[in-house]
Amino acid sequence: MIKKWIALFSGFFCIYFLCFSVLPFLDDVLGFKEAHQKLAEEDIESGAWYYIFVKKVEPSSENVRHTLAYSNRRENEAKRD
């Protein structure tokens, strides 16, 4: 029973260490902090930009699918002749 409690508290400690030590360090090292600051300064809602982008790209997915399905049709007909 003691081993399970130790495992539980060590798991909590690992999560705490990851969230408050490792992730902020990686944020500084990889340069995400500047991007986050720019988003905050410009008052950009990044989630809204994502959905706007998806809405603009969604109709073109049907065109791409049709192009992939029917683009080789003329080449195949030319090879048969």
Side-chain angles (χ1 to χ4, degrees):
M1 184 70 167
I2 297 288
K3 289 182 182 180
K4 290 182 181 180
W5 283 104
I6 292 172
L8 178 69
F9 286 120
S10 63
F12 284 144
F13 177 75
C14 288
I15 291 171
Y16 177 82
F17 180 74
L18 178 74
C19 290
F20 293 103
S21 303
V22 175
L23 293 178
F25 173 74
L26 290 176
D27 191 36
D28 288 339
V29 171
L30 297 177
F32 290 119
K33 185 170 259 182
E34 292 82 16
H36 295 156
Q37 287 176 349
K38 187 68 173 174
L39 287 171
E41 289 171 3
E42 300 292 329
D43 196 27
I44 297 173
E45 295 180 22
S46 57
W49 282 102
Y50 172 76
Y51 288 111
I52 289 170
F53 178 72
V54 169
K55 289 280 187 185
K56 287 184 179 179
V57 172
E58 185 180 14
S60 67
S61 66
E62 186 175 339
N63 296 337
V64 170
R65 187 167 15 101
H66 287 295
T67 300
L68 292 174
Y70 300 113
S71 65
N72 294 330
R73 187 174 183 184
R74 290 184 185 162
E75 291 177 8
N76 291 337
E77 288 175 358
K79 287 180 185 178
R80 287 185 208 161
D81 294 335

